[in-house]
């Protein structure tokens, strides 16, 4: 199934502009994140605990992340 498959429930960020949207989708036990301009390429996939940590860090203004 392609990432742009209409069966998936992609949600756009409420703060994104109409042309530059970040979208997220729950898929199995993962959260997928993509750029709406490239719907068949996801940029990030993580489990629910990682997603909660990511969102919490953004909300606290700690936007510096390191990839391990």
């Amino acid at each position: 199934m392609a990432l742009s498959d209409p069966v998936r429930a992609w949600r756009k960020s409420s703060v994104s502009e109409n042309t530059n949207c970040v979208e997220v989708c729950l898929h199995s036990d993962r959260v997928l994140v993509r750029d709406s301009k490239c719907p068949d390429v996801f940029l990030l996939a993580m489990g629910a605990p990682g997603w909660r940590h990511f969102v919490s860090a953004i909300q606290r203004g700690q936007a510096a992340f390191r990839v391990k």
Side-chain angles (χ1 to χ4, degrees):
M1 175 167 34
L3 291 177
S4 59
D5 192 311
V7 173
R8 292 185 190 264
W10 287 96
R11 295 180 54 192
K12 291 185 180 183
S13 169
S14 61
V15 296
S16 294
E17 297 174 15
N18 289 336
T19 58
N20 299 314
C21 297
V22 173
E23 299 176 323
V24 297
C25 174
L26 295 177
H27 179 66
S28 299
D29 62 343
R30 298 278 180 227
V31 176
L32 305 178
V33 182
R34 72 180 183 184
D35 182 339
S36 65
K37 294 178 289 188
C38 304
D40 287 324
V41 180
F42 67 88
L43 302 174
L44 196 54
M46 64 182 78
W51 177 251
R52 285 190 296 272
H53 177 74
F54 177 76
V55 171
S56 178
I58 296 265
Q59 290 172 336
R60 289 190 313 267
Q62 298 173 332
F65 297 95
R66 284 175 254 172
V67 178
K68 293 183 181 182

